[in-house]
Amino acid sequence: MGSSAIGLAVNWLDWKRWFLLFSNSDLNTGYQLLSLLLLPLLLFLLQTASADTSQEFYTALNQDAMLTVNFTSNSQCDVFWRKTSKADNSSEKMIYKHLKNMSKGNFLGQYSTRAHYYSHNNTLVLNSVTGEDEGAYKVTQECGGDGVISARMIQLSLMSPLSEPFISVSIHNTSHSVLLNLSCEVTEGTQPSYWWQKDGKPLPQDGRHFVSEQNSSLEVRNMTERDCVTYTCVSRNRLGSREAQRGITAMDSPACISPGSAGSLTPASLLSIAAAVLCAAGLCILVYCTKRHYQEIRTWFRDRWRNPRNSVEQSSLDRGSRQESPYDMPDEEFLNEENMQREQPQAGRGRGRQWILHHQPPGYPGGP
């Protein structure tokens, strides 16, 4: 604070006058010696006051960079931008100058096609930044006959944007407790930093949650069912932030299964039960239909066995239009017919044949 005030006060005076004042031959030897001691000190204080701490800016390769200087705009001042060589920090080259008697500044070299300067806020914009643009920039402002010179240093650094984080989970069962480890990692990006959230909130300070490896690893000790929630890893650098989430379920650890839900039905169990019910219902329907139409099924098989040539024609007939078959006679009537044939072999056999032919469907050979 004091050095800045002294430096600003010195700024309003011409350094030549100070030198002539302290080196005046009219002054005694004591004052001349004092001038030799104070002049370097005042010069150092002036440089300290007129130059702010170096400003840092970050951008990605092939992106735009916006460099802003903390100067008070003054149309009576000349502005110069110089780029410090990366190979030799002591050498500088002019890239932009704006003189007070010029309405517009000029860019030099390659910057004339891909740089813009906005004098109202002292901002230099570089388009499609390359590796050569990285480094230090020195900005000076020289104002009129007062000889006031203000200088600023700007550091431009290139960084890579972060990729999406990936969370890996490992669980260790010990004799006393369950240990949950989560590790977060990005495959691309410069200078990532990490922090964690548990169920959308900061990690609880309960003595069970510990971070390590620059916050990229999270350890939860004495894991219980309450720890089976969603964990969020946030990675960040100067260019932005990315995040990833990972939920811990019963598939990861048995600790996520509560005692009350140990006997609950899983989706696989429900599917098995549903399949068993459907099979049982289908079997019941099959048995019911077989029992109800047993006589018809029995007759169909018997006709197919005894008359294979006519089975297809008989099965295609409508059930309502079918006439009575001799094989459809009741068992008692069929037995009486056999007894009659035994008693009267010739006559009975003839009558039985006539009865059979009479009861055949139309179109049967020998039938009506």
Side-chain angles (χ1 to χ4, degrees), residues 313-362:
E313 297 180 0
Q314 292 179 4
S315 62
S316 62
L317 296 176
D318 183 74
R319 186 180 293 108
S321 62
R322 290 183 57 190
Q323 298 184 4
E324 184 180 5
S325 172
Y327 304 106
D328 293 337
M329 291 188 301
D331 293 340
E332 296 179 358
E333 185 177 352
F334 190 77
L335 292 176
N336 293 335
E337 183 68 22
E338 288 184 353
N339 293 332
M340 291 176 63
Q341 290 181 6
R342 291 176 181 175
E343 294 175 359
Q344 302 177 0
Q346 299 297 331
R349 187 176 302 170
R351 288 195 301 272
R353 177 176 177 79
Q354 292 178 1
W355 188 92
I356 292 174
L357 294 176
H358 178 73
H359 287 80
Q360 291 299 324

Side-chain angles (χ1 to χ4, degrees), residues 165-196:
F166 174 76
I167 301 177
S168 58
V169 178
S170 61
I171 297 178
H172 305 280
N173 296 317
T174 64
S175 57
H176 301 287
S177 63
V178 179
L179 185 65
L180 171 63
N181 283 319
L182 297 99
S183 180
C184 185
E185 183 182 6
V186 294
T187 58
E188 297 179 359
T190 306
Q191 299 178 1
S193 60
Y194 302 91
W195 73 88
W196 292 88

Side-chain angles (χ1 to χ4, degrees), residues 209-239:
H209 298 75
F210 300 91
V211 293
S212 59
E213 299 179 7
Q214 298 180 352
N215 292 345
S216 63
S217 180
L218 171 63
E219 180 181 284
V220 181
R221 300 177 182 177
N222 300 325
M223 180 182 176
T224 63
E225 183 189 0
R226 296 177 302 169
D227 300 316
C228 299
V229 295
T230 300
Y231 292 84
T232 303
C233 170
V234 182
S235 60
R236 183 173 188 142
N237 66 3
R238 300 277 186 172
L239 300 181

Side-chain angles (χ1 to χ4, degrees), residues 64-281:
D64 295 343
M66 183 179 297
L67 311 179
T68 302
V69 184
N70 297 325
F71 276 154
T72 301
S73 298
N74 190 342
S75 59
Q76 302 300 319
C77 296
D78 299 330
V79 178
F80 301 96
W81 284 69
R82 295 176 177 87
K83 171 72 168 58
T84 302
S85 176
K86 296 178 63 177
D88 184 7
N89 292 332
S90 61
S91 62
E92 300 176 348
K93 65 176 181 178
M94 184 79 67
I95 64 173
Y96 177 79
K97 63 179 180 179
H98 188 184
L99 303 179
K100 60 184 178 181
N101 56 356
M102 298 173 56
S103 60
K104 185 178 181 181
N106 294 327
F107 284 97
L108 306 177
Q110 61 171 334
Y111 296 95
S112 60
T113 58
R114 60 184 190 89
H116 306 276
Y117 186 75
Y118 301 93
S119 57
H120 67 281
N121 58 357
N122 301 311
T123 299
L124 177 68
V125 178
L126 297 176
N127 302 125
S128 301
V129 171
T130 64
E132 294 295 327
D133 298 326
E134 185 178 17
Y137 293 80
K138 183 178 180 181
V139 187
T140 57
Q141 188 180 51
E142 301 177 4
C143 300
D146 295 335
V148 179
I149 300 177
S150 300
R152 302 289 188 273
M153 294 300 298
I154 293 178
Q155 183 69 32
L156 177 61
S157 301
L158 295 182
M159 303 186 71
S160 299
L162 298 175
S163 61
E164 184 176 356
F166 174 76
I167 301 177
S168 58
V169 178
S170 61
I171 297 178
H172 305 280
N173 296 317
T174 64
S175 57
H176 301 287
S177 63
V178 179
L179 185 65
L180 171 63
N181 283 319
L182 297 99
S183 180
C184 185
E185 183 182 6
V186 294
T187 58
E188 297 179 359
T190 306
Q191 299 178 1
S193 60
Y194 302 91
W195 73 88
W196 292 88
Q197 292 180 342
K198 181 177 181 179
D199 205 16
K201 301 176 182 178
L203 295 178
Q205 303 297 326
D206 56 359
R208 297 191 307 116
H209 298 75
F210 300 91
V211 293
S212 59
E213 299 179 7
Q214 298 180 352
N215 292 345
S216 63
S217 180
L218 171 63
E219 180 181 284
V220 181
R221 300 177 182 177
N222 300 325
M223 180 182 176
T224 63
E225 183 189 0
R226 296 177 302 169
D227 300 316
C228 299
V229 295
T230 300
Y231 292 84
T232 303
C233 170
V234 182
S235 60
R236 183 173 188 142
N237 66 3
R238 300 277 186 172
L239 300 181
S241 62
R242 302 288 298 272
E243 67 178 43
Q245 294 182 339
R246 177 66 157 83
I248 305 300
T249 63
M251 301 296 292
D252 300 306
S253 173
C256 297
I257 303 176
S258 60
S261 61
S264 61
L265 297 178
T266 62
S269 302
L270 293 176
L271 185 61
S272 300
I273 295 174
V277 171
L278 291 177
C279 291

